[in-house]
């Protein structure tokens, strides 16, 4: 039985940090950030909010949009690089906070900014093979906790948020094709290389990035994996109604659209509102375009993830 997305949801924390406000903390400017990245503002989780809280808010919206109750969910996958704690998995905390008691599977996956497409591809395989019925797939992050707020090269780029979808069995495929890749030899260009040993943090627990190397790599693999999905589905770029790439940086997204020879009008952009929210960025953008009526039944939506590892992947959805 194929699987389709039955509902989407998103949540952004209340506190908004604008570029101007950030420019009072580090040597940067609204103009520099906007022209280099397209970001105008980011949301910051309250001290009392954990990644699981953001995830639960997005999940509740997605479950309601699917016309379901939390008890209908028998699989939860949370994609995150900023889990609540070392263990248990944030997905089990989400399961508990949603009040789900019947013991369906719940686990996290770590593929950084590609996390949502990885999680969606895994969930699709579990639903279509009968291993789960109604899957909740969430991307949720609190990157504000792993940023060095004195490093203007990274702290201006990221924000907190969560997005979610509910995946159900369907007679027609909603998830048409999915393609996942990784190349660990590039892990040093984007990482948070801290570790916990004997109760102490070793290495630096903050995001470290070689911006230029990330830019080059991201543009190449995003276009490659988009073409891979289209070839597998027997479609051409012009058959794609909406492209939803990882919302890292408007210039990476524009360069990808150019490689696909697609007009900017087919690109969904939300990075201006929430910055790079890593695994949360694609479902945040997806939910935005679903709820404002841009994405309609029968359309093809191409999700493209890329992130630390390096990891990358695409999921082609027929809505
Ligand atoms: N404000 C003002 N000046 C800054 C800032 C800032 N926030 N950050 C860097 N600069 C300065 C640099 O110090 C440098 O100054 P110098 O010339 O005096 O040395 C100057 O701006 C230019 O720096 P570059 O790094 O060359 O700037 P560039 O135009 O390459 O833009 C950026 C940097 C935006 C990070 C770019 O490399 C980029 O977009 N990379 C992609 C990275 C990305 O999107 N990462 C997100 C995570 S990746 C992912 O999610 C897959």
């Amino acid at each position: 039985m194929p699987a389709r997305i039955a509902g989407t949801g998103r949540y952004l924390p209340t506190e908004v940090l604008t570029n101007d406000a950030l420019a009072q903390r580090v040597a940067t400017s609204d103009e520099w950030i906007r022209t280099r990245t397209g970001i105008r503002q980011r949301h910051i989780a309250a001290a009392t909010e954990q990644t699981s809280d953001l995830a639960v808010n997005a999940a509740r919206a997605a479950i309601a949009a699917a016309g379901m109750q939390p008890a209908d969910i028998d699989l939860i996958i949370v994609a995150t690089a900023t889990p609540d704690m070392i263990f248990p998995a944030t997905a089990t905390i989400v399961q508990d906070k949603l009040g789900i008691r019947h013991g369906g599977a719940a686990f996290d996956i770590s593929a950084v900014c590609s996390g949502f497409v990885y999680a969606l591809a895994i969930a699709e395989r579990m639903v279509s093979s009968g291993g789960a019925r109604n899957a909740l797939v969430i991307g949720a992050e609190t990157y504000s906790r792993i940023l060095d707020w004195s490093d203007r090269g990274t702290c201006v780029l990221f924000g907190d948020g969560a997005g979610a979808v509910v995946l159900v069995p369907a007679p027609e495929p909603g998830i048409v094709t999915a393609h996942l890749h990784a190349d660990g030899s590039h892990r040093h260009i984007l990482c948070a290389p801290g570790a916990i040993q004997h109760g102490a943090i070793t290495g630096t627990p903050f995001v470290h990035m070689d911006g230029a190397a990330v830019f080059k790599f991201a543009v190449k693999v995003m276009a490659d994996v988009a073409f891979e999905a289209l070839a597998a589905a027997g479609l051409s770029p012009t058959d794609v109604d909406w492209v939803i790439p990882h919302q890292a940086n408007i210039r990476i997204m524009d360069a990808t659209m150019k490689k696909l020879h697609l007009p900017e009008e087919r690109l969904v952009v939300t990075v201006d509102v929430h910055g790079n929210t890593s695994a949360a960025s694609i479902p945040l953008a997806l939910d935005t375009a679903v709820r404002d009526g841009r994405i309609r039944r029968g359309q093809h939506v191409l999700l493209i993830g890329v992130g630390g590892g390096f990891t990358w992947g695409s999921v082609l959805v027929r809505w």
Side-chain angles (χ1 to χ4, degrees):
M1 183 68 113
R4 74 171 179 89
I5 293 173
T8 65
R10 71 180 188 276
Y11 174 75
L12 289 166
T14 313
E15 186 190 336
V16 172
L17 180 60
T18 63
N19 291 345
D20 283 332
L22 198 45
Q24 290 171 10
R25 293 195 198 175
V26 283
T28 188
S29 67
D30 174 56
E31 200 265 339
W32 194 97
I33 300 170
R34 260 190 305 103
T35 53
R36 298 299 210 292
T37 70
I39 297 166
R40 289 190 289 111
Q41 61 177 42
R42 67 286 297 139
H43 290 247
I44 306 294
T48 51
E49 277 180 318
Q50 300 294 324
T51 295
S52 61
D53 297 309
L54 276 53
V56 163
N57 284 322
R60 285 194 198 286
I63 293 167
M68 291 182 180
Q69 300 296 323
D72 298 322
I73 301 296
D74 62 353
L75 167 66
I76 302 175
I77 308 180
V78 174
T80 186
T82 48
D84 284 18
M85 54 188 76
I86 298 170
F87 72 80
T90 303
T92 64
I93 301 170
V94 169
Q95 186 200 50
D96 180 49
K97 288 181 177 175
L98 286 172
I100 300 171
R101 299 278 175 263
H102 52 55
F107 58 91
D108 292 358
I109 67 131
S110 173
V112 203
C113 305
S114 308
F116 183 75
V117 292
Y118 265 63
L120 192 55
I122 294 165
E124 188 272 333
R125 277 155 220 197
M126 288 187 72
V127 170
S128 62
S129 67
R133 187 158 177 84
N134 302 320
L136 177 61
V137 182
I138 306 171
E141 304 282 11
T142 47
Y143 260 57
S144 60
R145 312 254 161 95
I146 58 164
L147 294 173
D148 173 354
W149 286 97
S150 66
D151 174 16
R152 67 179 182 174
T154 52
C155 77
V156 303
L157 301 175
F158 297 92
D160 301 337
V165 302
V166 172
L167 207 60
V168 300
E172 296 287 317
I175 308 291
V176 180
T177 184
H179 305 268
L180 305 178
H181 298 281
D183 181 348
S185 68
H186 296 279
R187 68 188 182 279
H188 305 292
I189 63 174
L190 181 59
C191 50
I196 296 194
Q197 283 181 22
H198 311 298
I201 296 171
T202 59
T204 167
F206 297 122
V207 173
H208 160 83
M209 182 184 72
D210 174 345
V214 166
F215 195 103
K216 231 190 279 171
F217 195 88
V219 172
K220 182 185 173 337
V221 297
M222 285 173 97
D224 287 351
V225 81
F227 282 119
E228 185 180 359
L230 292 172
L235 298 176
S236 71
T238 49
D239 295 317
V240 176
D241 298 284
W242 298 106
V243 180
I244 306 187
H246 168 45
Q247 306 282 311
N249 181 313
I250 191 67
R251 293 188 304 151
I252 293 178
M253 290 189 258
D254 285 345
T256 304
M257 292 301 276
K258 278 205 183 79
K259 286 198 163 201
L260 294 173
H261 301 291
L262 284 176
E264 271 178 31
E265 292 73 49
R266 298 196 197 182
L267 175 66
V268 178
V269 178
T270 54
V271 71
D272 54 327
V273 175
H274 53 64
N276 182 347
T277 56
S278 194
S281 90
I282 290 176
L284 278 166
L286 176 65
D287 182 64
T288 302
V290 167
R291 285 178 192 263
D292 69 20
R294 271 179 286 176
I295 295 177
R296 297 190 304 275
R297 281 272 160 244
Q299 291 188 327
H300 284 113
V301 182
L302 182 59
L303 314 179
I304 316 171
V306 61
F310 247 74
T311 56
W312 63 100
S314 58
V315 176
L316 181 68
V317 182
R318 190 173 159 82
W319 206 256

